[in-house]
Amino acid sequence: MHITKIELEDIKSHANFTHEFQRGTTAITGENGAGKTTLIEAVAWTLFDLLDYKRDDFVRRGAKKGMVKVTFESGLDGREYLVHRDTGMGYYVYDPQLKMRIAEKKEEVARFLWAHLGVEAGTDLEALFRRAIGVPQGTFTAIFLETPAERKKAFDKLLKVEEYRQGAEKLRETARYLENQINAVNIRIGRAEGELARFEEIETEHKIQTAQALELSVAAEKLNKDVAEKSEIVKKFDEAESKVNEIKTLFDKLKTEDAKAEIIAKQKESERNQAFEAQAKIKLVEEDYKTHIAALARLKELERERIERDKLNAEMARVEKAQVNVKADQNKFQEDLEKSLRAHQEISVLEPKVKEQEQFEKERENLRNQVADAKAVDNQIKSLTDKMNRLRKSYRANQTNIKDAEAKSEKASAFENLQKRDDEIINNLAKLRAKLEADEKFQNEIQNGLCPILSEKCLNLKPGQTLESFVTTQFSEVKMQISMLENEKKQLTDALRTSHEAEKSLATLETLRNREKEIAEEGTRYKDEKESLEKKTENLSKTETDLAEIETKLKVLDNPEAKIKMLQTEANLEMSIRVKITEVEKNLERLESERRILVEQLESYQFLDAQWKEFSDKRDRTADAHREFLTNESLAKLLPQREKELETAKNELRELTESLAKAETDLTAASKDYDRETHLSEKVGLLEAEKRLTETRANLEYTKKRADELERELNRLAEIRKAMQGEFQEKERLEKVAEATKFIRDTLKEAAPRVARNYVHHVSLEANQMFREISGNAERTLKWTEDYGISLEENGHDRPFINLSGGEQMAAALSVRLALLKQLSDVRLAFFDEPTTNMDAVRREKLAEQIGHITKKQVDGKQIFDQLFVISHDDTFEDYVDNVVSIAGNESA
């Protein structure tokens, strides 16, 4: 497969990016921060579900949602597909030929990508990308520097080695399940054998119950006929009894109603007598009743008059109180008038002093303005002084920074030589450490001071020198050289750091010098401005003295203008006070007139209390008669109605007495045709017969039910006997499956390390070939070991990955990762993010050349890799790749 187009919208620094890509090797170049790595991250997120931070952080600042579209040509069917993913929930695959979405949501898209990327279903795409296709920037060699346990954790997942172990572990559950199923079958077989032991006993009982059911059926038929005959006799007796009971019920009912009617007649007669007595009583008290009613009516009229009199008394009290208040107001207004006349006199005395006060206040205002202006200028001078002090500090600090920058910039020119010496030391250290490792191995092989190859004393030894001491001397020399180089490297590291800082200082030196000129110009301007302001504050002291003298003079005058204004307010009230006095006098005359009218009106009520007492006495004297009349009046009015009700009750009583006599005659006649004792005897006989029939039927039903149960049980046991044969067959089948499961589980356990070793072997061979091509040295052998570590065999010695130079580490890691990709999938696509890190110029050139050749290599007429992307700000690759894409900051097209 190969990617044909990448489209970004509002992704990190890209507002709108679109670019089409060809097969072969493509270099993506640009300054740091231009968004080169963003292209890898977009592909990783869209095709391999890998994003190392939150989606919100992947969106361009200020945008609500970001979108990525990756179009690729599938290696499965050779057709183009577009995968769309956005930071919302959008994730789908679009077929441009069919013009429709063919996969939506994460699960469907994952299944599509597994198929078209040429990897097994269930492959961890994230791990595949992270470890082989597109290792993140700065981590290309990191995993090979980890411990064996960490490497195993990472690569077992990628190589699916762990899946074999997991498969074996999951089969443990299957084995347990099969064991449980076999145990369950054994239990069912044992249970079935226990139940079949009762088969003969149940068969015998079934025959007995069937015979008993036949006998009980005959007895039940005979009892049924006997019950029918007795039921007919009892039925006739029941009809006769029903007729007697009906007549008896009517007789009892009429007897009850007759007694009730007699009671009602007596009650109505009593009520008629009560109404008659009430009528007699009201005739005796009728005259006093009328007197009481007349007295109440007169008292009601007198009550209205008394209310009117009370209102007049209240009005009289109000008028008299108003007279008192008005007289108080008259006295107050008279006092206010006297105050107003005195205010006129005082105003005439103060008026000459007002002009003098106005003159002093004008002079004071002028002086205050002069003082305020001078103080404002003084504050400006203080502010300028502070600014000048801060400017002096800035100037001194800037001078110090210029001196430091000048001192540091002298060391900037040595950076390139120091870097070159640092690379030389790294290579020398690697060689010395490899030599030391070989010598240590050689020392371990020495026995009895003899050469391990010739088994005789070494001829190169000096007289008296042993092979052990010779090797030890060699150790000391190598270790000393390593120590000296390590010390020199530490010093070089510090020098490189200092030289790097010197380059930064050189860039800032010109800025600091310009700042020095700006500070000097600004200080001169502040100084001139301060001298100009100081001239304006020379007369401040004299002005403040003049202001104090004016303030004293105004204090002596004691503000006559304010006093006149206050007195003028009182003087202006004279006319209004006189008007109020006139109104008060008018009010006094009006109130006196109202009082005289009220006195005349109250004289008409002088006999009211005497009349009230007279009629109250009449009301109290006739109160008992009034109550007696009211108590009996309503009952006396009911006399005609009560007499009519009494007549009706007597007629009803007479009719009920006649009906009762007739019912008694009918009851006597019906009782002669019915014998209760015979009726009861027949009933008892019927009940006994029905009881025997019920018992027989119950026994018959139980016997039939028991026979049916036994028959069903016999059928069930026959089914159990049949099913038990199937259980034996199932047990045999499960035992065979369990045996096969155990074999598969044991095989998977053994397969995991073998699969890992097989992968490692093939990847190691492929990686070694690539490494030799990249390094240009066929005498060195790259090995990928069973603990997923990398070593380099050189001159018969193995150098571990940690002892390789930075360039060698990068080339080795690159070789292993490309070999992994080739072995694990049909994905012929890879991304290299800054692959020349830690490489010298020669190795960078060599790596660029080899990466350019990778896409041109073929096996069996087929390219090994379709497309490689190199992300770098180094222009080394531009001469060795098929395509170059330059990314500028905030790329939009």
Side-chain angles (χ1 to χ4, degrees):
M1 67 162 286
H2 78 279
I3 293 172
T4 59
K5 184 191 289 187
I6 297 175
E7 300 172 69
L8 307 181
E9 183 177 322
D10 290 329
I11 296 294
K12 292 182 78 172
S13 63
H14 297 282
N16 197 329
F17 174 89
T18 301
H19 201 285
E20 295 183 357
F21 297 91
Q22 305 300 322
R23 291 179 182 271
T25 305
T26 299
I28 300 175
T29 64
E31 296 298 326
N32 288 335
K36 304 185 298 297
T37 302
T38 303
L39 299 183
I40 302 180
E41 293 172 339
V43 173
W45 182 51
T46 307
L47 300 184
F48 299 91
D49 195 27
L50 170 62
L51 189 63
D52 285 329
Y53 37 79
K54 295 180 181 177
R55 292 189 180 187
D56 291 343
D57 297 333
F58 200 42
V59 179
R60 189 170 65 91
R61 183 175 297 176
K64 293 182 179 178
K65 184 171 74 171
M67 180 271 293
V68 178
K69 292 180 182 178
V70 178
T71 304
F72 68 91
E73 183 181 300
S74 171
L76 180 66
D77 56 16
R79 294 175 58 196
E80 275 198 350
Y81 297 97
L82 182 148
V83 182
H84 169 106
R85 191 168 196 180
D86 59 54
T87 55
M89 298 300 291
Y91 196 15
Y92 60 84
V93 180
Y94 180 78
D95 188 331
Q97 289 187 12
L98 300 177
K99 296 183 179 180
M100 64 180 290
R101 298 180 184 183
I102 58 174
E104 290 192 85
K105 297 185 179 179
K106 193 172 181 179
E107 292 182 2
E108 291 183 8
V109 174
R111 287 195 292 271
F112 174 88
L113 291 173
W114 284 330
H116 289 266
L117 292 175
V119 297
E120 293 181 13
T123 297
D124 189 335
L125 296 178
E126 177 183 341
L128 178 63
F129 191 88
R130 191 184 295 277
R131 302 300 175 201
I133 297 175
V135 182
Q137 182 177 341
T139 64
F140 210 84
T141 62
I143 188 62
F144 300 108
L145 294 170
E146 295 284 357
T147 62
E150 289 296 323
R151 293 198 299 271
K152 180 176 176 59
K153 182 179 177 182
F155 286 107
D156 273 359
K157 183 178 181 182
L158 180 62
L159 298 176
K160 294 188 177 181
V161 172
E162 190 60 30
E163 291 184 9
Y164 290 94
R165 297 192 185 97
Q166 291 174 355
E169 190 61 30
K170 287 181 180 178
L171 280 176
R172 183 198 298 274
E173 298 177 6
T174 305
R176 288 176 181 170
Y177 171 78
L178 290 170
E179 183 180 353
N180 291 337
Q181 291 297 307
I182 292 170
N183 291 336
V185 170
N186 287 331
I187 291 170
R188 289 198 296 273
I189 291 172
R191 189 181 295 119
E193 290 174 344
E195 291 192 20
L196 288 173
R198 300 168 46 245
F199 186 85
E200 293 181 359
E201 178 184 347
I202 293 171
E203 189 176 27
T204 302
E205 185 181 356
H206 177 256
K207 291 178 181 178
I208 294 171
Q209 293 294 334
T210 303
Q212 286 181 355
L214 184 61
E215 291 175 3
L216 288 170
S217 180
V218 173
E221 186 176 356
K222 183 179 179 182
L223 284 171
N224 196 34
K225 291 179 179 178
D226 190 19
V227 167
E229 292 174 356
K230 289 183 178 293
S231 294
E232 189 64 28
I233 295 169
V234 170
K235 181 179 178 183
K236 293 179 179 178
F237 276 106
D238 288 342
E239 291 174 352
E241 183 186 27
S242 176
K243 185 177 180 182
V244 171
N245 288 338
E246 185 179 347
I247 297 171
K248 179 81 167 55
T249 301
L250 178 61
F251 175 77
D252 293 339
K253 179 182 177 183
L254 290 171
K255 189 174 181 180
T256 302
E257 290 178 352
D258 182 67
K260 182 179 178 182
E262 186 175 357
I263 293 170
I264 291 172
K266 290 180 180 179
Q267 182 180 356
K268 294 300 180 181
E269 185 176 4
S270 174
E271 290 176 353
R272 191 276 312 270
N273 293 337
Q274 290 175 358
F276 186 80
E277 291 174 359
Q279 192 176 49
K281 288 179 180 178
I282 65 174
K283 287 181 179 179
L284 293 175
V285 297
E286 186 174 4
E287 192 64 32
D288 286 343
Y289 169 76
K290 291 178 179 179
T291 301
H292 186 85
I293 293 299
L296 289 175
R298 181 57 182 156
L299 284 171
K300 189 174 183 181
E301 293 176 1
L302 292 174
E303 178 64 22
R304 285 196 296 271
E305 292 179 4
R306 189 162 65 172
I307 291 170
E308 289 298 324
R309 185 191 64 181
D310 291 342
K311 287 181 180 179
L312 291 172
N313 284 331
E315 184 65 19
M316 177 65 79
R318 184 190 65 76
V319 169
E320 289 175 348
K321 183 178 180 182
Q323 284 178 322
V324 173
N325 292 336
V326 171
K327 287 178 180 179
D329 291 341
Q330 186 181 34
N331 294 332
K332 180 180 177 299
F333 291 147
Q334 194 64 41
E335 293 175 358
D336 291 343
L337 181 60
E338 292 174 0
K339 287 181 181 179
S340 180
L341 294 173
R342 285 197 300 272
H344 280 294
Q345 294 173 0
E346 292 178 8
I347 287 170
S348 60
V349 174
L350 292 171
E351 281 178 346
K353 298 180 180 180
V354 171
K355 293 182 179 179
E356 187 178 359
Q357 180 186 357
E358 290 175 352
Q359 181 63 32
F360 287 155
E361 286 179 344
K362 288 179 182 179
E363 293 177 8
R364 180 181 65 181
E365 184 66 23
N366 186 32
L367 291 169
R368 281 180 175 174
N369 290 335
Q370 293 178 18
V371 170
D373 292 342
K375 287 184 176 179
V377 170
D378 190 52
N379 289 333
Q380 291 178 359
I381 291 170
K382 290 179 180 177
S383 176
L384 282 171
T385 302
D386 292 340
K387 288 180 180 179
M388 291 172 70
N389 290 335
R390 289 196 296 272
L391 207 59
R392 289 189 188 96
K393 290 180 181 178
S394 297
Y395 185 81
R396 287 194 292 271
N398 194 64
Q399 284 284 340
T400 303
N401 291 335
I402 288 172
K403 291 177 182 178
D404 291 343
E406 288 174 344
K408 290 179 179 179
S409 61
E410 294 174 358
K411 301 177 182 179
S413 59
F415 181 78
E416 187 174 352
N417 293 330
L418 291 172
Q419 181 67 47
K420 187 174 181 181
R421 177 56 184 159
D422 186 59
D423 292 340
E424 291 175 357
I425 290 172
I426 290 172
N427 291 330
N428 291 335
L429 279 172
K431 292 176 180 178
L432 288 170
R433 284 172 180 152
K435 186 175 185 308
L436 180 63
E437 185 178 350
D439 289 347
E440 287 175 344
K441 184 177 180 181
F442 180 72
Q443 185 185 33
N444 293 332
E445 295 173 353
I446 295 173
Q447 296 179 355
N448 301 321
L450 300 179
C451 176
I453 298 172
L454 303 175
S455 298
E456 60 183 29
K457 187 175 181 181
C458 184
L459 301 177
N460 294 324
L461 298 178
K462 296 176 182 180
Q465 186 180 24
T466 64
L467 188 59
E468 287 86 347
S469 63
F470 173 75
V471 173
T472 302
T473 302
Q474 294 295 318
F475 280 174
S476 300
E477 291 176 358
V478 173
K479 287 180 179 178
M480 185 179 297
Q481 291 177 23
I482 289 173
S483 177
M484 290 171 64
L485 287 173
E486 286 177 343
N487 291 333
E488 185 180 354
K489 189 172 188 317
K490 288 180 181 178
Q491 294 172 2
L492 271 174
T493 301
D494 295 337
L496 280 168
R497 190 182 302 109
T498 303
S499 181
H500 185 63
E501 291 175 357
E503 286 185 335
K504 294 180 180 178
S505 299
L506 186 62
T508 60
L509 184 59
E510 185 63 28
T511 303
L512 292 171
R513 286 171 177 165
N514 292 335
R515 178 59 182 157
E516 181 181 19
K517 292 178 182 178
E518 291 173 1
I519 293 171
E521 292 172 359
E522 192 173 359
T524 302
R525 183 169 55 82
Y526 284 163
K527 181 180 178 183
D528 295 342
E529 187 177 351
K530 181 180 177 184
E531 290 174 355
S532 175
L533 292 172
E534 285 175 345
K535 291 177 181 180
K536 296 180 181 180
T537 60
E538 292 175 353
N539 298 324
L540 176 61
S541 176
K542 182 179 180 303
T543 305
E544 289 178 340
T545 303
D546 294 343
L547 178 61
E549 290 177 359
I550 292 297
E551 292 283 2
T552 303
K553 291 177 181 178
L554 284 169
K555 190 173 182 181
V556 171
L557 283 175
D558 196 19
N559 200 0
E561 185 178 4
K563 288 182 179 179
I564 286 175
K565 287 180 181 179
M566 184 177 65
L567 292 169
Q568 190 67 46
T569 303
E570 290 185 1
N572 291 339
L573 294 174
E574 180 183 355
M575 289 307 296
S576 64
I577 292 170
R578 290 185 185 278
V579 171
K580 289 178 181 177
I581 289 173
T582 303
E583 289 176 357
V584 166
E585 291 173 350
K586 289 179 181 179
N587 285 338
L588 283 174
E589 291 177 2
R590 179 179 56 76
L591 289 170
E592 182 59 27
S593 174
E594 289 179 2
R595 193 186 71 78
R596 286 195 297 271
I597 292 169
L598 289 170
V599 169
E600 291 175 0
Q601 289 175 345
L602 284 170
E603 287 179 356
S604 63
Y605 294 103
Q606 57 183 335
F607 301 111
L608 177 62
D609 291 336
Q611 290 177 353
W612 180 268
K613 185 176 184 309
E614 177 186 354
F615 285 101
S616 293
D617 291 343
K618 286 183 180 181
R619 179 196 63 190
D620 295 340
R621 189 181 71 252
T622 59
D624 293 339
H626 178 260
R627 283 193 293 274
E628 182 72 16
F629 186 90
L630 292 176
T631 302
N632 293 283
E633 182 182 19
S634 58
L635 186 58
K637 289 179 180 179
L638 295 174
L639 180 59
Q641 180 185 344
R642 297 277 174 91
E643 288 178 342
K644 186 177 180 181
E645 290 174 354
L646 176 60
E647 184 65 25
T648 301
K650 286 180 178 179
N651 292 333
E652 291 178 354
L653 178 61
R654 186 169 54 254
E655 291 174 357
L656 284 170
T657 301
E658 293 172 357
S659 298
L660 180 62
K662 183 178 181 304
E664 186 175 6
T665 302
D666 293 341
L667 179 62
T668 302
S671 298
K672 291 179 180 178
D673 298 331
Y674 172 70
D675 185 352
R676 182 175 295 278
E677 291 181 0
T678 305
H679 185 194
L680 291 175
S681 175
E682 290 295 335
K683 269 188 174 182
V684 170
L686 176 61
L687 289 172
E688 289 177 354
E690 288 177 340
K691 183 179 178 182
R692 289 195 301 274
L693 177 60
T694 302
E695 290 174 352
T696 303
R697 285 176 175 171
N699 289 333
L700 176 60
E701 183 178 356
Y702 170 77
T703 303
K704 285 182 177 180
K705 183 178 179 182
R706 179 59 182 163
D708 291 341
E709 288 176 355
L710 292 169
E711 186 175 359
R712 285 195 298 274
E713 182 66 10
L714 287 171
N715 292 334
R716 188 180 70 82
L717 291 174
E719 290 293 331
I720 289 173
R721 180 178 290 170
K722 184 179 179 181
M724 190 167 65
Q725 296 174 357
E727 294 290 357
F728 279 116
Q729 294 173 357
E730 177 66 9
K731 178 182 177 182
E732 183 178 357
R733 184 187 70 81
L734 288 171
E735 287 174 345
K736 290 180 180 179
V737 173
E739 185 178 352
T741 302
K742 183 177 183 301
F743 171 76
I744 294 170
R745 186 164 176 264
D746 293 342
T747 302
L748 286 174
K749 282 182 181 179
E750 296 173 1
R754 292 181 181 180
V755 168
R757 285 194 295 272
N758 185 56
Y759 270 128
V760 169
H761 174 71
H762 287 89
V763 170
S764 184
L765 292 175
E766 187 71 31
N768 179 50
Q769 183 65 30
M770 289 186 183
F771 180 79
R772 286 177 173 177
E773 291 175 356
I774 292 172
S775 64
N777 187 347
E779 296 180 359
R780 297 192 297 178
T781 301
L782 181 72
K783 297 178 182 178
W784 195 39
T785 60
E786 292 185 6
D787 66 352
Y788 305 124
I790 294 176
S791 65
L792 185 64
E793 183 181 341
E794 187 175 17
N795 298 326
H797 302 291
D798 285 338
R799 292 169 59 198
F801 188 75
I802 195 170
N803 286 341
L804 302 182
S805 67
E808 288 173 331
Q809 287 182 348
M810 181 62 75
L814 176 63
S815 302
V816 171
R817 291 186 188 279
L818 287 175
L820 270 171
L821 187 59
K822 182 180 176 184
Q823 287 292 324
L824 294 179
S825 73
D826 292 335
V827 179
R828 297 298 177 252
L829 169 76
F831 293 86
F832 306 123
D833 196 356
E834 302 292 355
T836 58
T837 303
N838 298 325
M839 286 189 176
D840 56 27
V842 175
R843 282 196 173 86
R844 285 202 300 271
E845 196 80 21
K846 192 68 177 175
L847 178 64
E849 182 181 356
Q850 290 305 318
I851 287 178
H853 289 164
I854 287 174
T855 55
K856 295 177 175 60
K857 291 182 181 179
Q858 295 185 349
V859 176
D860 298 330
K862 196 175 181 181
Q863 284 184 324
I864 298 176
F865 284 96
D866 296 328
Q867 199 173 32
L868 297 180
F869 292 90
V870 180
I871 312 297
S872 179
H873 62 275
D874 186 351
D875 59 3
T876 305
F877 291 92
E878 294 185 6
D879 295 332
Y880 297 97
V881 298
D882 301 309
N883 311 290
V884 177
V885 177
S886 180
I887 304 292
N890 298 319
E891 186 76 32
S892 61

